[in-house]
Coordinates of all heavy atoms in Angstrom, one line a residue:
M26 N 0.8 -1.2 0.0 CA 0.0 0.0 0.0 C 0.9 1.2 0.0 O 1.8 1.4 0.8 CB -0.9 0.0 1.2 CG -1.8 1.2 1.3 SD -3.0 1.1 2.6 CE -1.9 1.2 4.0
T27 N 0.6 2.2 -0.9 CA 1.3 3.4 -1.0 C 0.5 4.5 -0.4 O -0.6 4.7 -0.7 CB 1.7 3.7 -2.5 OG1 2.4 2.6 -3.0 CG2 2.5 5.0 -2.5
V28 N 1.1 5.2 0.5 CA 0.5 6.4 1.2 C 1.1 7.6 0.6 O 2.3 7.8 0.6 CB 0.7 6.3 2.7 CG1 0.1 7.6 3.3 CG2 0.0 5.1 3.2
P29 N 0.3 8.6 0.1 CA 0.9 9.8 -0.5 C 1.5 10.7 0.6 O 0.9 11.0 1.6 CB -0.3 10.5 -1.1 CG -1.5 9.8 -0.6 CD -1.1 8.5 -0.1
L30 N 2.8 11.0 0.3 CA 3.5 11.9 1.3 C 3.9 13.1 0.5 O 4.3 13.1 -0.6 CB 4.8 11.2 1.6 CG 4.8 9.9 2.5 CD1 6.1 9.3 2.6 CD2 4.3 10.3 3.9
C31 N 3.9 14.3 1.2 CA 4.4 15.5 0.6 C 4.6 16.5 1.7 O 4.2 16.3 2.9 CB 3.5 16.0 -0.5 SG 1.9 16.5 0.0
T32 N 5.2 17.6 1.3 CA 5.2 18.8 2.2 C 4.3 19.8 1.7 O 4.1 19.9 0.5 CB 6.7 19.4 2.3 OG1 7.1 19.7 1.1 CG2 7.6 18.3 2.9
L33 N 3.8 20.7 2.6 CA 2.8 21.7 2.2 C 3.3 23.1 2.7 O 4.1 23.1 3.7 CB 1.4 21.5 2.8 CG 0.7 20.2 2.3 CD1 -0.6 20.0 3.1 CD2 0.4 20.3 0.8
D34 N 2.8 24.1 2.1 CA 3.1 25.5 2.6 C 4.6 25.7 2.7 O 5.1 26.1 3.8 CB 2.4 25.8 3.9 CG 0.9 25.7 3.8 OD1 0.4 25.8 2.7 OD2 0.2 25.5 4.8
D35 N 5.3 25.5 1.6 CA 6.8 25.7 1.6 C 7.5 24.9 2.7 O 8.4 25.4 3.3 CB 7.1 27.2 1.7 CG 6.6 28.0 0.5 OD1 6.6 27.4 -0.6 OD2 6.2 29.1 0.6
G36 N 7.0 23.7 2.9 CA 7.7 22.9 3.9 C 7.3 23.1 5.3 O 7.9 22.5 6.2
A37 N 6.3 23.8 5.6 CA 5.8 24.1 7.0 C 5.2 22.8 7.6 O 5.1 22.7 8.8 CB 4.9 25.3 7.0
W38 N 4.7 22.0 6.7 CA 3.9 20.8 7.2 C 4.4 19.6 6.4 O 4.7 19.6 5.2 CB 2.4 21.0 6.9 CG 1.8 22.0 7.8 CD1 1.6 23.3 7.5 CD2 1.3 21.8 9.1 NE1 1.0 24.0 8.5 CE2 0.8 23.1 9.5 CE3 1.2 20.7 10.0 CZ2 0.2 23.3 10.8 CZ3 0.6 20.9 11.2 CH2 0.1 22.2 11.6
V39 N 4.3 18.4 7.1 CA 4.4 17.1 6.4 C 3.0 16.6 6.3 O 2.3 16.6 7.3 CB 5.3 16.1 7.2 CG1 5.2 14.8 6.6 CG2 6.7 16.6 7.3
S40 N 2.6 16.3 5.1 CA 1.3 15.8 4.8 C 1.4 14.3 4.5 O 2.2 13.9 3.7 CB 0.7 16.5 3.6 OG -0.5 15.9 3.1
V41 N 0.5 13.5 5.2 CA 0.4 12.1 4.9 C -1.1 11.9 4.6 O -2.0 12.2 5.3 CB 0.8 11.3 6.1 CG1 0.6 9.8 5.8 CG2 2.2 11.5 6.5
N42 N -1.3 11.3 3.4 CA -2.6 11.0 3.0 C -3.5 12.2 3.0 O -4.7 12.2 3.5 CB -3.2 9.9 3.9 CG -3.9 8.8 3.1 OD1 -4.0 8.9 1.9 ND2 -4.3 7.7 3.8
N43 N -3.0 13.3 2.6 CA -3.7 14.6 2.5 C -4.1 15.2 3.8 O -5.0 16.0 3.9 CB -5.0 14.4 1.6 CG -4.6 14.1 0.2 OD1 -3.6 14.7 -0.4 ND2 -5.3 13.1 -0.4
S44 N -3.5 14.7 4.9 CA -3.8 15.4 6.2 C -2.4 15.9 6.8 O -1.4 15.2 6.6 CB -4.5 14.6 7.1 OG -3.8 13.4 7.4
R45 N -2.4 17.0 7.4 CA -1.2 17.6 7.9 C -0.9 17.0 9.3 O -1.7 17.1 10.2 CB -1.4 19.1 8.1 CG -1.6 19.8 6.7 CD -1.9 21.2 6.8 NE -2.2 21.8 5.5 CZ -2.1 23.1 5.2 NH1 -1.8 23.9 6.1 NH2 -2.3 23.5 4.0
V46 N 0.2 16.3 9.3 CA 0.5 15.5 10.5 C 1.6 16.0 11.4 O 1.6 15.8 12.6 CB 0.8 14.0 10.1 CG1 -0.5 13.4 9.6 CG2 1.9 13.9 9.2
V47 N 2.6 16.7 10.8 CA 3.7 17.2 11.5 C 4.0 18.6 11.1 O 4.1 18.8 9.9 CB 5.0 16.3 11.3 CG1 6.1 16.8 12.3 CG2 4.7 14.9 11.6
G48 N 4.1 19.5 12.0 CA 4.3 20.9 11.6 C 5.6 21.5 12.1 O 6.2 21.1 13.1
A49 N 6.0 22.5 11.4 CA 7.2 23.3 11.8 C 6.9 24.0 13.1 O 5.7 24.2 13.5 CB 7.6 24.3 10.7
G50 N 7.9 24.3 13.8 CA 7.7 25.0 15.1 C 7.9 24.1 16.3 O 8.0 24.5 17.4
D51 N 8.1 22.8 16.0 CA 8.3 21.8 17.1 C 9.8 21.9 17.5 O 10.7 22.3 16.7 CB 8.1 20.4 16.6 CG 6.6 20.0 16.6 OD1 5.9 20.7 17.3 OD2 6.3 19.0 15.9
L52 N 10.0 21.6 18.7 CA 11.4 21.5 19.2 C 11.8 20.1 19.4 O 11.2 19.3 20.1 CB 11.4 22.3 20.6 CG 12.8 22.7 21.1 CD1 13.5 23.6 20.2 CD2 12.6 23.3 22.5
W53 N 12.9 19.7 18.7 CA 13.4 18.3 18.8 C 14.7 18.3 19.5 O 15.6 19.2 19.3 CB 13.6 17.8 17.4 CG 12.4 17.6 16.6 CD1 11.1 17.8 16.9 CD2 12.4 17.1 15.2 NE1 10.3 17.5 15.9 CE2 11.0 17.1 14.8 CE3 13.3 16.7 14.3 CZ2 10.6 16.7 13.6 CZ3 12.9 16.3 13.0 CH2 11.6 16.3 12.7
L54 N 14.8 17.4 20.5 CA 16.1 17.2 21.1 C 16.9 16.2 20.4 O 16.5 15.0 20.3 CB 15.8 16.8 22.6 CG 17.1 16.7 23.5 CD1 17.8 18.0 23.6 CD2 16.7 16.2 24.8
L55 N 18.0 16.6 19.8 CA 18.7 15.7 18.9 C 20.0 15.3 19.7 O 20.8 16.1 20.0 CB 19.1 16.4 17.6 CG 18.0 16.9 16.8 CD1 18.5 17.6 15.5 CD2 17.0 15.9 16.4
A56 N 20.1 14.0 19.9 CA 21.3 13.5 20.6 C 22.4 13.0 19.6 O 23.6 13.2 19.9 CB 20.9 12.3 21.5
D57 N 22.0 12.6 18.5 CA 23.0 12.1 17.5 C 22.8 12.8 16.2 O 21.9 12.5 15.4 CB 22.8 10.6 17.3 CG 23.9 10.0 16.4 OD1 24.9 10.6 16.2 OD2 23.6 8.8 15.9
H58 N 23.6 13.9 16.0 CA 23.3 14.8 14.9 C 24.6 15.5 14.4 O 25.6 15.4 15.1 CB 22.3 15.8 15.4 CG 22.9 16.8 16.4 ND1 23.5 18.0 16.1 CD2 23.1 16.6 17.7 CE1 24.0 18.5 17.2 NE2 23.8 17.8 18.2
D59 N 24.4 16.1 13.3 CA 25.6 16.9 12.7 C 25.2 18.4 12.5 O 25.9 19.1 11.8 CB 25.9 16.3 11.3 CG 26.4 14.9 11.4 OD1 27.1 14.6 12.3 OD2 26.0 14.1 10.5
V60 N 24.2 18.8 13.2 CA 23.7 20.2 13.0 C 24.7 21.2 13.6 O 25.0 22.2 13.0 CB 22.3 20.4 13.6 CG1 21.9 21.8 13.5 CG2 21.3 19.5 12.9
C61 N 25.3 20.9 14.8 CA 26.1 21.8 15.4 C 27.1 21.1 16.3 O 27.1 19.8 16.3 CB 25.3 22.9 16.2 SG 24.4 22.2 17.5
D62 N 27.8 21.8 17.2 CA 28.8 21.1 18.0 C 28.2 20.7 19.4 O 28.9 20.2 20.2 CB 30.0 22.0 18.2 CG 30.8 22.2 16.9 OD1 30.7 21.3 16.1 OD2 31.4 23.2 16.8
C63 N 26.9 21.1 19.7 CA 26.4 20.7 20.9 C 26.2 19.2 21.0 O 25.9 18.5 20.1 CB 25.0 21.3 21.1 SG 25.0 23.1 21.1
E64 N 26.4 18.7 22.3 CA 26.3 17.3 22.4 C 24.8 16.9 22.2 O 24.5 15.9 21.5 CB 26.7 16.9 23.9 CG 26.7 15.4 24.1 CD 27.1 15.0 25.5 OE1 27.7 15.9 26.2 OE2 26.8 13.9 25.9
K65 N 23.9 17.7 22.7 CA 22.5 17.5 22.4 C 22.0 18.8 21.9 O 22.0 19.8 22.6 CB 21.7 17.0 23.6 CG 22.1 15.6 24.0 CD 21.2 15.1 25.2 CE 21.6 13.7 25.5 NZ 20.8 13.2 26.7
A66 N 21.4 18.8 20.7 CA 20.9 20.1 20.1 C 19.5 20.2 20.4 O 18.7 19.3 20.3 CB 21.1 20.1 18.6
D67 N 19.1 21.5 20.9 CA 17.7 21.8 21.0 C 17.3 22.4 19.7 O 17.5 23.6 19.4 CB 17.5 22.8 22.1 CG 17.6 22.2 23.5 OD1 17.0 21.1 23.6 OD2 18.2 22.8 24.4
F68 N 16.8 21.6 18.8 CA 16.6 21.9 17.4 C 15.2 22.4 17.1 O 14.2 21.7 17.3 CB 16.9 20.7 16.5 CG 17.0 21.0 15.0 CD1 18.1 21.7 14.5 CD2 16.0 20.7 14.2 CE1 18.2 22.0 13.2 CE2 16.0 21.0 12.8 CZ 17.1 21.6 12.3
L69 N 15.1 23.7 16.8 CA 13.8 24.3 16.4 C 13.5 24.1 14.9 O 14.2 24.6 14.1 CB 13.7 25.8 16.8 CG 12.4 26.5 16.4 CD1 11.3 26.0 17.3 CD2 12.6 28.0 16.6
V70 N 12.5 23.3 14.6 CA 12.2 23.0 13.2 C 11.5 24.2 12.6 O 10.5 24.7 13.1 CB 11.2 21.7 13.2 CG1 10.9 21.4 11.7 CG2 11.9 20.6 13.8
E71 N 12.1 24.7 11.5 CA 11.5 25.8 10.8 C 10.9 25.4 9.5 O 10.0 26.1 9.0 CB 12.6 26.8 10.6 CG 13.1 27.4 11.9 CD 14.2 28.4 11.7 OE1 15.0 28.3 10.7 OE2 14.4 29.2 12.6
A72 N 11.3 24.3 8.9 CA 10.7 23.8 7.7 C 11.2 22.4 7.4 O 12.2 21.9 8.0 CB 11.1 24.7 6.5
F73 N 10.4 21.7 6.6 CA 10.8 20.3 6.3 C 11.3 20.3 4.8 O 10.6 20.7 3.9 CB 9.6 19.4 6.4 CG 9.1 19.3 7.8 CD1 8.0 20.0 8.2 CD2 9.8 18.5 8.7 CE1 7.6 20.0 9.6 CE2 9.3 18.4 10.0 CZ 8.3 19.1 10.5
A74 N 12.6 20.0 4.7 CA 13.3 20.0 3.4 C 12.9 18.9 2.5 O 12.7 19.1 1.3 CB 14.8 20.1 3.6
E75 N 12.8 17.7 3.1 CA 12.4 16.5 2.3 C 11.6 15.6 3.2 O 11.8 15.6 4.4 CB 13.7 15.8 1.8 CG 14.5 16.6 0.9 CD 15.7 15.7 0.4 OE1 15.5 14.8 -0.4 OE2 16.8 15.9 0.9
V76 N 10.8 14.8 2.5 CA 10.0 13.8 3.3 C 10.0 12.5 2.4 O 10.0 12.6 1.2 CB 8.6 14.3 3.6 CG1 7.8 14.6 2.3 CG2 7.9 13.3 4.5
G77 N 10.1 11.4 3.1 CA 10.1 10.2 2.4 C 9.7 9.1 3.3 O 9.4 9.2 4.5
A78 N 9.6 7.9 2.7 CA 9.2 6.7 3.5 C 10.2 5.6 3.3 O 10.7 5.3 2.2 CB 7.8 6.2 3.1
D79 N 10.6 5.0 4.5 CA 11.5 3.9 4.5 C 10.6 2.7 5.0 O 10.5 2.5 6.2 CB 12.7 4.1 5.4 CG 13.5 2.9 5.6 OD1 13.4 1.9 4.8 OD2 14.3 2.9 6.5
G80 N 10.1 1.9 4.1 CA 9.2 0.9 4.5 C 7.9 1.6 5.1 O 7.3 2.4 4.4
R81 N 7.6 1.3 6.3 CA 6.4 2.0 6.9 C 6.8 3.1 7.8 O 6.0 3.7 8.4 CB 5.7 0.9 7.8 CG 5.0 -0.1 6.9 CD 4.2 -1.1 7.7 NE 3.4 -1.9 6.8 CZ 2.1 -1.5 6.4 NH1 1.6 -0.4 6.8 NH2 1.5 -2.3 5.6
H82 N 8.1 3.5 7.9 CA 8.5 4.6 8.6 C 8.5 5.8 7.7 O 9.1 5.8 6.7 CB 9.9 4.4 9.2 CG 9.9 3.4 10.4 ND1 10.2 2.1 10.2 CD2 9.6 3.6 11.7 CE1 10.1 1.5 11.4 NE2 9.8 2.4 12.3
V83 N 7.9 6.9 8.2 CA 8.0 8.2 7.5 C 9.2 9.0 8.1 O 9.3 9.1 9.3 CB 6.7 9.0 7.7 CG1 6.9 10.4 7.0 CG2 5.6 8.2 7.1
E84 N 10.1 9.4 7.2 CA 11.2 10.2 7.6 C 11.3 11.5 6.9 O 10.7 11.7 5.9 CB 12.5 9.4 7.2 CG 12.6 8.0 7.8 CD 13.9 7.3 7.4 OE1 14.2 7.4 6.2 OE2 14.5 6.7 8.3
T85 N 12.0 12.4 7.6 CA 12.1 13.8 7.0 C 13.4 14.4 7.3 O 14.1 14.0 8.3 CB 11.0 14.7 7.6 OG1 11.1 16.0 7.0 CG2 11.1 14.9 9.1
R86 N 13.9 15.3 6.5 CA 15.0 16.1 6.8 C 14.5 17.5 7.1 O 13.8 18.1 6.3 CB 16.0 16.2 5.6 CG 16.6 14.8 5.2 CD 17.6 15.0 4.1 NE 18.8 15.7 4.6 CZ 19.5 16.5 3.9 NH1 19.2 16.7 2.7 NH2 20.6 17.0 4.4
A87 N 14.8 18.0 8.3 CA 14.2 19.2 8.8 C 15.3 20.3 8.8 O 16.4 20.1 9.2 CB 13.7 19.0 10.2
A88 N 14.8 21.5 8.3 CA 15.7 22.7 8.4 C 15.3 23.5 9.6 O 14.1 23.6 9.9 CB 15.6 23.5 7.1
G89 N 16.3 24.0 10.3 CA 16.0 24.8 11.5 C 17.3 25.3 12.1 O 18.3 25.4 11.5
R90 N 17.2 25.5 13.4 CA 18.4 25.9 14.1 C 18.4 25.4 15.6 O 17.3 25.1 16.1 CB 18.5 27.4 14.1 CG 17.5 28.1 14.8 CD 17.5 29.6 14.5 NE 16.3 30.3 14.8 CZ 15.9 30.7 16.0 NH1 16.7 30.6 17.0 NH2 14.7 31.3 16.2
C91 N 19.6 25.2 16.1 CA 19.8 24.9 17.5 C 19.6 26.1 18.3 O 20.3 27.1 18.1 CB 21.2 24.3 17.6 SG 21.6 24.0 19.4
I92 N 18.7 26.1 19.2 CA 18.4 27.3 20.0 C 19.4 27.5 21.1 O 19.5 28.5 21.7 CB 17.0 27.3 20.6 CG1 16.7 26.2 21.6 CG2 16.0 27.3 19.5 CD1 15.4 26.3 22.3
A93 N 20.2 26.5 21.4 CA 21.3 26.6 22.4 C 22.5 27.4 21.9 O 23.0 28.3 22.6 CB 21.8 25.2 22.8
C94 N 22.9 27.2 20.6 CA 24.1 27.9 20.1 C 23.7 28.7 18.9 O 24.6 29.5 18.4 CB 25.2 26.9 19.8 SG 24.8 25.8 18.4
G95 N 22.5 28.6 18.3 CA 22.1 29.4 17.2 C 22.5 28.9 15.8 O 22.2 29.6 14.8
T96 N 23.2 27.8 15.7 CA 23.6 27.3 14.4 C 22.4 26.8 13.6 O 21.6 26.1 14.1 CB 24.6 26.1 14.6 OG1 25.7 26.6 15.4 CG2 25.1 25.6 13.3
E97 N 22.4 27.2 12.4 CA 21.3 26.8 11.5 C 21.8 25.6 10.6 O 23.0 25.5 10.3 CB 20.9 27.9 10.5 CG 20.3 29.1 11.3 CD 19.7 30.1 10.3 OE1 19.7 29.9 9.1 OE2 19.3 31.2 10.9
G98 N 20.9 24.7 10.3 CA 21.3 23.6 9.5 C 20.1 22.7 9.1 O 19.0 23.1 9.4
V99 N 20.4 21.6 8.5 CA 19.4 20.7 8.1 C 19.8 19.4 8.7 O 21.0 18.9 8.6 CB 19.3 20.6 6.5 CG1 18.3 19.5 6.1 CG2 19.0 21.9 5.9
T100 N 18.8 18.7 9.3 CA 19.1 17.4 9.9 C 19.3 16.3 8.9 O 18.9 16.5 7.7 CB 18.0 17.0 10.9 OG1 16.8 16.7 10.1 CG2 17.6 18.1 11.9
D101 N 19.9 15.2 9.3 CA 19.9 14.0 8.5 C 18.5 13.5 8.6 O 17.6 14.0 9.2 CB 20.9 13.0 9.1 CG 21.4 12.0 8.1 OD1 20.8 12.0 7.0 OD2 22.4 11.3 8.4
W102 N 18.2 12.4 7.8 CA 16.9 11.8 7.8 C 16.5 11.3 9.2 O 17.3 10.6 9.9 CB 16.9 10.6 6.9 CG 16.9 11.0 5.4 CD1 18.0 11.1 4.6 CD2 15.8 11.5 4.6 NE1 17.6 11.5 3.4 CE2 16.3 11.8 3.4 CE3 14.4 11.6 4.9 CZ2 15.4 12.2 2.3 CZ3 13.6 12.1 3.9 CH2 14.1 12.4 2.6
L103 N 15.4 11.8 9.7 CA 14.9 11.4 11.0 C 13.5 10.8 10.9 O 12.6 11.4 10.2 CB 14.8 12.6 12.0 CG 16.2 13.2 12.3 CD1 16.0 14.5 13.1 CD2 17.0 12.2 13.2
P104 N 13.2 9.7 11.6 CA 11.8 9.2 11.6 C 10.8 10.1 12.3 O 11.2 10.7 13.4 CB 11.9 7.9 12.2 CG 13.1 8.0 13.1 CD 14.0 8.9 12.5
V105 N 9.7 10.3 11.7 CA 8.6 11.1 12.4 C 7.4 10.3 12.8 O 6.5 10.8 13.5 CB 8.2 12.4 11.6 CG1 9.4 13.4 11.5 CG2 7.7 12.0 10.2
G106 N 7.3 9.1 12.3 CA 6.2 8.3 12.6 C 6.1 7.0 11.8 O 7.0 6.8 11.0
R107 N 5.1 6.2 12.0 CA 4.9 5.0 11.3 C 3.5 5.0 10.6 O 2.6 5.5 11.2 CB 4.9 3.8 12.3 CG 6.2 3.2 12.6 CD 6.0 2.2 13.7 NE 5.4 1.0 13.2 CZ 6.2 -0.1 12.7 NH1 7.5 0.0 12.7 NH2 5.6 -1.1 12.3
I108 N 3.5 4.4 9.5 CA 2.2 4.3 8.7 C 1.5 3.1 9.2 O 2.1 2.0 9.3 CB 2.5 4.2 7.2 CG1 3.2 5.4 6.7 CG2 1.1 3.9 6.5 CD1 2.3 6.6 6.7
R109 N 0.3 3.3 9.7 CA -0.5 2.1 10.1 C -1.9 2.3 9.5 O -2.6 3.4 9.8 CB -0.6 2.0 11.6 CG 0.4 1.1 12.2 CD -0.1 0.6 13.5 NE 0.8 -0.3 14.1 CZ 0.8 -0.6 15.4 NH1 0.0 0.0 16.2 NH2 1.7 -1.4 15.9
E110 N -2.4 1.4 8.8 CA -3.8 1.4 8.2 C -4.0 2.8 7.5 O -5.1 3.4 7.6 CB -4.8 1.2 9.3 CG -4.7 -0.2 9.9 CD -5.3 -0.3 11.3 OE1 -5.9 0.7 11.7 OE2 -5.2 -1.3 11.9
G111 N -3.0 3.2 6.8 CA -3.2 4.4 6.0 C -3.0 5.7 6.7 O -3.2 6.8 6.1
T112 N -2.8 5.7 8.0 CA -2.6 7.0 8.7 C -1.2 6.9 9.4 O -0.7 5.9 9.7 CB -3.7 7.2 9.7 OG1 -3.7 6.2 10.7 CG2 -5.0 7.3 9.0
L113 N -0.8 8.1 9.8 CA 0.5 8.2 10.4 C 0.3 8.2 11.9 O -0.5 9.0 12.5 CB 1.2 9.5 10.0 CG 2.6 9.6 10.6 CD1 3.6 8.9 9.8 CD2 3.1 11.1 10.7
R114 N 1.1 7.3 12.6 CA 1.1 7.4 14.1 C 2.4 8.1 14.4 O 3.5 7.5 14.3 CB 1.2 6.0 14.6 CG 0.0 5.1 14.2 CD -1.3 5.6 14.8 NE -2.4 4.9 14.1 CZ -3.0 3.8 14.6 NH1 -2.5 3.2 15.6 NH2 -4.0 3.3 14.0
P115 N 2.3 9.3 14.8 CA 3.5 10.1 15.1 C 4.3 9.5 16.3 O 3.8 9.0 17.2 CB 3.0 11.5 15.4 CG 1.6 11.5 14.9 CD 1.1 10.1 15.0
V116 N 5.6 9.7 16.2 CA 6.5 9.3 17.3 C 6.5 10.5 18.4 O 6.1 11.6 18.1 CB 7.9 9.1 16.9 CG1 8.0 7.9 15.9 CG2 8.5 10.3 16.3
A117 N 6.9 10.2 19.6 CA 7.1 11.2 20.6 C 8.4 11.9 20.4 O 9.4 11.3 20.6 CB 7.0 10.6 22.0
F118 N 8.3 13.1 19.9 CA 9.6 13.8 19.6 C 10.5 14.0 20.8 O 11.7 14.0 20.7 CB 9.3 15.1 19.0 CG 8.7 15.0 17.6 CD1 7.3 15.3 17.4 CD2 9.4 14.6 16.5 CE1 6.8 15.1 16.2 CE2 8.8 14.5 15.3 CZ 7.5 14.7 15.1
E119 N 9.9 14.2 22.0 CA 10.7 14.5 23.2 C 11.6 13.3 23.5 O 12.6 13.5 24.1 CB 9.8 14.8 24.4 CG 8.8 16.0 24.1 CD 7.6 15.6 23.3 OE1 7.3 14.4 23.2 OE2 7.0 16.4 22.6
S120 N 11.1 12.1 23.2 CA 11.9 10.9 23.6 C 12.7 10.3 22.5 O 13.7 9.6 22.7 CB 11.0 9.9 24.3 OG 10.0 9.5 23.4
L121 N 12.2 10.5 21.3 CA 12.7 9.7 20.2 C 14.2 9.9 19.9 O 15.0 9.0 19.7 CB 11.9 9.9 18.9 CG 12.5 9.2 17.7 CD1 12.2 7.7 17.8 CD2 12.1 9.8 16.4
H122 N 14.5 11.2 19.8 CA 15.9 11.5 19.3 C 16.9 11.7 20.4 O 18.0 12.1 20.2 CB 15.8 12.8 18.5 CG 14.8 12.7 17.4 ND1 14.8 11.8 16.4 CD2 13.7 13.5 17.1 CE1 13.8 11.9 15.6 NE2 13.1 13.0 16.0
T123 N 16.6 11.2 21.6 CA 17.5 11.3 22.7 C 18.2 10.0 22.9 O 17.8 9.0 22.3 CB 16.8 11.7 24.0 OG1 15.9 10.7 24.3 CG2 16.1 13.0 23.8
G124 N 19.2 10.0 23.7 CA 19.8 8.8 24.1 C 20.9 8.5 23.1 O 21.5 7.5 22.9
Ligands
ZN228 ZN1 24.0 23.8 19.1

């Protein structure tokens, strides 16, 4: 089953199956990243550069900045949720990218 994925509003939203599921403005705590030199980046998502699916996992590359040091960048591919029965079950951003 193929679920349509795209970004909307110049990357402000990730759309799955024509519904907006993940929006810019979220704060992601990134533990394993190349955005800046912080051990853990407090990454403010400003836009989604790319979105794709790896099997049933939806992944995105997010553009934004680390609010701790101010460095701007684009993340590597990060999972934002799983496709189940045609809809996205979002992951918990606060816990996913840590550790
Ligand atoms: Zn930083």
